[in-house]
Amino acid sequence: MSFDSDASSPSTSASAADATTRDWIFPSYTFVHSPHNIHRTPRRRRFSSYQPPPQQFNPTASFHPRAAGNESNAVSSSVSRSTPGRFEFENHEKSTTLLDGGIDGGGSAGVNSKSNEAVTSEKRGIKERKTTSSEETFLGVLRSWLRVRWQLTFTVAILITVLSSLVHTNFSLHNEVTELQDRISKLNVKLKLCNLSDSIDIAGELSPQDVSVNNFSSKSLKIAALAISITFLSLPFFVVKYVNYVSKSRRLFDNTTEEISLNKQLAYRVDVFLSVTPYAKPLALLVATLLLICVGGLSLYGVTDGSLADSLWLSWTYVADSGNHANSEGLGPRLVSVSISFGGMLIFAMMLGLVSDAISEKFDSLRKGRSEVVEKNHTLILGWSNKLGSLLNQLAIANESMGGGIVVVMAERDKEDMELDIGKMEFDFRGTSVICRSGSPLILADLKKVSVSKARAIIVLADDGNADQSDARALRTVLSLTGVKEGLNGHIVVELSDLDNEVLVKLVGGDLVETVVAHDVIGRLMIQCARQPGLAQIWEDILGFENCEFYFKRWPKLYGMQFEDVLISFPEAIPCGVKVASHGGKIILNPEDSYVLQEGDEVLVIAEDDDSYAPSDIPMVKDAKFIHITRPTRKPQKILLCGWRRDIDDMIVVLDAFLAEGSELWMFNEVAENERERKLEDGGLDIDRLVNIKLINREGNAVIRRHLESLPLESFDS
């Protein structure tokens, strides 16, 4: 290979042809061997461990192919088959071998100059080929790097183009939405103007100036609405903070006085309002609902394009139905609608709680008997005792002729318990309705609840237990009844336990009160029935409603008649007394025959029912001989009294008055004999003053047969 321009070696020609087919560009000789680029050659040979000594560049030297021989072919083949690092290593090894062979072959300094020049030329050729191979390798790496960079650049350009197109599309859609919103606002303005002025025909479109003014005014109104709603929402927070601040400042500046804090005062005022005002809770719920609708409507008006009326109506729909906010569009409307829906759910829960509490209270009042009785001409029974069953039975029989009646029972018991006990009574009510109410007869509100002022008759039952306490309660009940402002239409019948307390009750109640000392009456009836066998059946027939009973009634046609004529004026009844009106309703039993009935007097008769008798014309009476009936003389009697009563001393006094002298009263009970005299004296009995009877004490139990057999039972008259 020659470095001249006109000389070329076969290898160089082959390399040039190969470069032409592969479209490679080789640098010229001047580019490679330029003095400015010679210093780059050692850097390309970084893989070789051998550094040849620098040699002087000889441009006139040439390399002959024959001098190189097979070595040059081997080097060229080695260049074409190996990598740059391996190429440099093999060239270094071969050049070293050539140098060593030349020295060894000559053995001395007698080697001719021609062989030295050939070796030098071969070295230069090898060096130039090394440089050319290194440059070709660098250019290949550079071209592959440029190809990778071009692909990456193309990919990035495609991505940038796609992103820019998306951004452009987004901006174009946003502009279209803005234009559509402007058109909608213009149409809304036109619609408002058409609604305001029906008589004016708006032919053309509004000018842009008017539209801008309207848009500005609507935006300012919406901003004001938002500001007002935010102010309303934040106002409670600031009020609470202010109250806490004032309370803390008062405690800090005035630690000596025990002044109540402001928050406690406000809490107390709210508590009083809720307790005193009957409709405080529904009123508070209504105010909260209206505030939520107003604030929500203002907020919706601020974040939507609708009118204020539409926003208020939409806010009401969100409050009434929390599912209506699902159609909201946009971040602002959705936030506002969700907030209103949450408030609506809370209000609905509060309303549901209030309604549930009201219904529960109503059912509880009905179940516990707290509702008012709207009746008139009914019989009112105050209290509860074991005599109530017999009393209700007699009232049912008495009301049968009227088709039934209404009996109201009020006691300090649960309504359900009273109804259960009355339901267990085994008798026919004969159309009479019994209404139970729970309450105290000492409270005027409870008395008004049972329509005490409209009752036909009021019965006060005595409590079971201590007699004095029962009578004291009856006295207080009479005081409450006389204190009714509306007044009483009916009379009062009071059951007392002790005869000594009758005077006080009549003193308080006056003419409206009738007293019945049941304990004393039963004792007297027992004494009379003991003296007259069969009298108990007569009392039962007369005092009960099964057969004949006592009735009072006015008969104007009898006014001015003597009582002896009244006796024969009732063919279906027996007159036995008169209720004198001029003496405040005083009852006279078996009056004188010459007594003349005055206006207002009532005749007391014994009849089968109140509608079964009526006066008739005076019949003709035939004269007859008067038969004188002599009363038999009283004989001493022997009576056995079993048991002990609280008023047994009064019974002994009555027996002493009715029995003949020399009678004996045997007292058989479980009270010790040494305590009987003391108890009788405590009851007011003086044994030494007994005239007709003698007390004989026996201790025992009347239920035990052997105790009774120890007594001379066959010797007693009663």
Side-chain angles (χ1 to χ4, degrees), residues 650-661:
D650 296 332
M651 296 179 65
I652 293 174
V653 172
V654 173
L655 286 173
D656 185 64
F658 282 114
L659 295 178
E661 186 178 358

PDB file of all heavy atoms in Angstrom, residues 650-661:
ATOM      1  N   ASP A 650    -119.280   0.854 122.158  1.00  0.00           N
ATOM      2  CA  ASP A 650    -120.567   1.438 121.755  1.00  0.00           C
ATOM      3  C   ASP A 650    -121.639   0.353 121.640  1.00  0.00           C
ATOM      4  O   ASP A 650    -122.818   0.591 121.986  1.00  0.00           O
ATOM      5  CB  ASP A 650    -120.421   2.162 120.415  1.00  0.00           C
ATOM      6  CG  ASP A 650    -119.471   3.349 120.505  1.00  0.00           C
ATOM      7  OD1 ASP A 650    -119.347   3.922 121.601  1.00  0.00           O
ATOM      8  OD2 ASP A 650    -118.847   3.692 119.474  1.00  0.00           O
ATOM      9  N   MET A 651    -121.280  -0.815 121.150  1.00  0.00           N
ATOM     10  CA  MET A 651    -122.240  -1.913 121.043  1.00  0.00           C
ATOM     11  C   MET A 651    -122.721  -2.344 122.424  1.00  0.00           C
ATOM     12  O   MET A 651    -123.920  -2.661 122.620  1.00  0.00           O
ATOM     13  CB  MET A 651    -121.603  -3.096 120.303  1.00  0.00           C
ATOM     14  CG  MET A 651    -121.240  -2.793 118.866  1.00  0.00           C
ATOM     15  SD  MET A 651    -120.459  -4.211 118.061  1.00  0.00           S
ATOM     16  CE  MET A 651    -121.801  -5.381 118.056  1.00  0.00           C
ATOM     17  N   ILE A 652    -121.830  -2.340 123.401  1.00  0.00           N
ATOM     18  CA  ILE A 652    -122.217  -2.720 124.766  1.00  0.00           C
ATOM     19  C   ILE A 652    -123.202  -1.702 125.338  1.00  0.00           C
ATOM     20  O   ILE A 652    -124.190  -2.050 126.020  1.00  0.00           O
ATOM     21  CB  ILE A 652    -120.963  -2.851 125.643  1.00  0.00           C
ATOM     22  CG1 ILE A 652    -120.104  -4.042 125.169  1.00  0.00           C
ATOM     23  CG2 ILE A 652    -121.347  -3.017 127.115  1.00  0.00           C
ATOM     24  CD1 ILE A 652    -118.773  -4.166 125.889  1.00  0.00           C
ATOM     25  N   VAL A 653    -122.973  -0.431 125.052  1.00  0.00           N
ATOM     26  CA  VAL A 653    -123.892   0.618 125.540  1.00  0.00           C
ATOM     27  C   VAL A 653    -125.276   0.439 124.922  1.00  0.00           C
ATOM     28  O   VAL A 653    -126.311   0.585 125.604  1.00  0.00           O
ATOM     29  CB  VAL A 653    -123.308   2.007 125.224  1.00  0.00           C
ATOM     30  CG1 VAL A 653    -124.321   3.092 125.547  1.00  0.00           C
ATOM     31  CG2 VAL A 653    -122.033   2.226 126.021  1.00  0.00           C
ATOM     32  N   VAL A 654    -125.360   0.134 123.631  1.00  0.00           N
ATOM     33  CA  VAL A 654    -126.642  -0.060 122.960  1.00  0.00           C
ATOM     34  C   VAL A 654    -127.355  -1.284 123.526  1.00  0.00           C
ATOM     35  O   VAL A 654    -128.585  -1.262 123.782  1.00  0.00           O
ATOM     36  CB  VAL A 654    -126.431  -0.183 121.440  1.00  0.00           C
ATOM     37  CG1 VAL A 654    -127.737  -0.556 120.749  1.00  0.00           C
ATOM     38  CG2 VAL A 654    -125.897   1.109 120.881  1.00  0.00           C
ATOM     39  N   LEU A 655    -126.633  -2.355 123.748  1.00  0.00           N
ATOM     40  CA  LEU A 655    -127.236  -3.557 124.322  1.00  0.00           C
ATOM     41  C   LEU A 655    -127.758  -3.297 125.741  1.00  0.00           C
ATOM     42  O   LEU A 655    -128.819  -3.813 126.143  1.00  0.00           O
ATOM     43  CB  LEU A 655    -126.219  -4.698 124.333  1.00  0.00           C
ATOM     44  CG  LEU A 655    -125.914  -5.353 122.978  1.00  0.00           C
ATOM     45  CD1 LEU A 655    -124.770  -6.342 123.109  1.00  0.00           C
ATOM     46  CD2 LEU A 655    -127.175  -6.070 122.461  1.00  0.00           C
ATOM     47  N   ASP A 656    -127.046  -2.508 126.462  1.00  0.00           N
ATOM     48  CA  ASP A 656    -127.485  -2.186 127.825  1.00  0.00           C
ATOM     49  C   ASP A 656    -128.788  -1.394 127.803  1.00  0.00           C
ATOM     50  O   ASP A 656    -129.613  -1.502 128.723  1.00  0.00           O
ATOM     51  CB  ASP A 656    -126.401  -1.397 128.548  1.00  0.00           C
ATOM     52  CG  ASP A 656    -126.756  -1.128 130.009  1.00  0.00           C
ATOM     53  OD1 ASP A 656    -126.861  -2.108 130.776  1.00  0.00           O
ATOM     54  OD2 ASP A 656    -126.952   0.055 130.336  1.00  0.00           O
ATOM     55  N   ALA A 657    -128.996  -0.643 126.739  1.00  0.00           N
ATOM     56  CA  ALA A 657    -130.234   0.141 126.644  1.00  0.00           C
ATOM     57  C   ALA A 657    -131.405  -0.707 126.176  1.00  0.00           C
ATOM     58  O   ALA A 657    -132.559  -0.439 126.563  1.00  0.00           O
ATOM     59  CB  ALA A 657    -130.038   1.317 125.687  1.00  0.00           C
ATOM     60  N   PHE A 658    -131.190  -1.729 125.384  1.00  0.00           N
ATOM     61  CA  PHE A 658    -132.285  -2.510 124.810  1.00  0.00           C
ATOM     62  C   PHE A 658    -132.650  -3.728 125.646  1.00  0.00           C
ATOM     63  O   PHE A 658    -133.815  -4.150 125.644  1.00  0.00           O
ATOM     64  CB  PHE A 658    -131.933  -2.976 123.386  1.00  0.00           C
ATOM     65  CG  PHE A 658    -132.084  -1.898 122.356  1.00  0.00           C
ATOM     66  CD1 PHE A 658    -130.995  -1.398 121.687  1.00  0.00           C
ATOM     67  CD2 PHE A 658    -133.338  -1.383 122.053  1.00  0.00           C
ATOM     68  CE1 PHE A 658    -131.136  -0.402 120.740  1.00  0.00           C
ATOM     69  CE2 PHE A 658    -133.485  -0.392 121.113  1.00  0.00           C
ATOM     70  CZ  PHE A 658    -132.386   0.113 120.452  1.00  0.00           C
ATOM     71  N   LEU A 659    -131.700  -4.332 126.349  1.00  0.00           N
ATOM     72  CA  LEU A 659    -131.947  -5.581 127.069  1.00  0.00           C
ATOM     73  C   LEU A 659    -132.587  -5.300 128.428  1.00  0.00           C
ATOM     74  O   LEU A 659    -132.465  -4.208 128.996  1.00  0.00           O
ATOM     75  CB  LEU A 659    -130.637  -6.353 127.249  1.00  0.00           C
ATOM     76  CG  LEU A 659    -129.960  -6.859 125.962  1.00  0.00           C
ATOM     77  CD1 LEU A 659    -128.649  -7.553 126.293  1.00  0.00           C
ATOM     78  CD2 LEU A 659    -130.884  -7.789 125.200  1.00  0.00           C
ATOM     79  N   ALA A 660    -133.219  -6.324 128.893  1.00  0.00           N
ATOM     80  CA  ALA A 660    -133.860  -6.209 130.217  1.00  0.00           C
ATOM     81  C   ALA A 660    -132.833  -6.372 131.330  1.00  0.00           C
ATOM     82  O   ALA A 660    -131.718  -6.864 131.102  1.00  0.00           O
ATOM     83  CB  ALA A 660    -134.967  -7.265 130.349  1.00  0.00           C
ATOM     84  N   GLU A 661    -133.254  -5.971 132.492  1.00  0.00           N
ATOM     85  CA  GLU A 661    -132.348  -6.049 133.628  1.00  0.00           C
ATOM     86  C   GLU A 661    -132.063  -7.502 133.968  1.00  0.00           C
ATOM     87  O   GLU A 661    -132.959  -8.357 133.923  1.00  0.00           O
ATOM     88  CB  GLU A 661    -132.961  -5.332 134.828  1.00  0.00           C
ATOM     89  CG  GLU A 661    -132.024  -5.229 136.019  1.00  0.00           C
ATOM     90  CD  GLU A 661    -132.652  -4.467 137.181  1.00  0.00           C
ATOM     91  OE1 GLU A 661    -133.797  -3.996 137.000  1.00  0.00           O
ATOM     92  OE2 GLU A 661    -132.014  -4.351 138.222  1.00  0.00           O
TER      93      GLU A 661
END
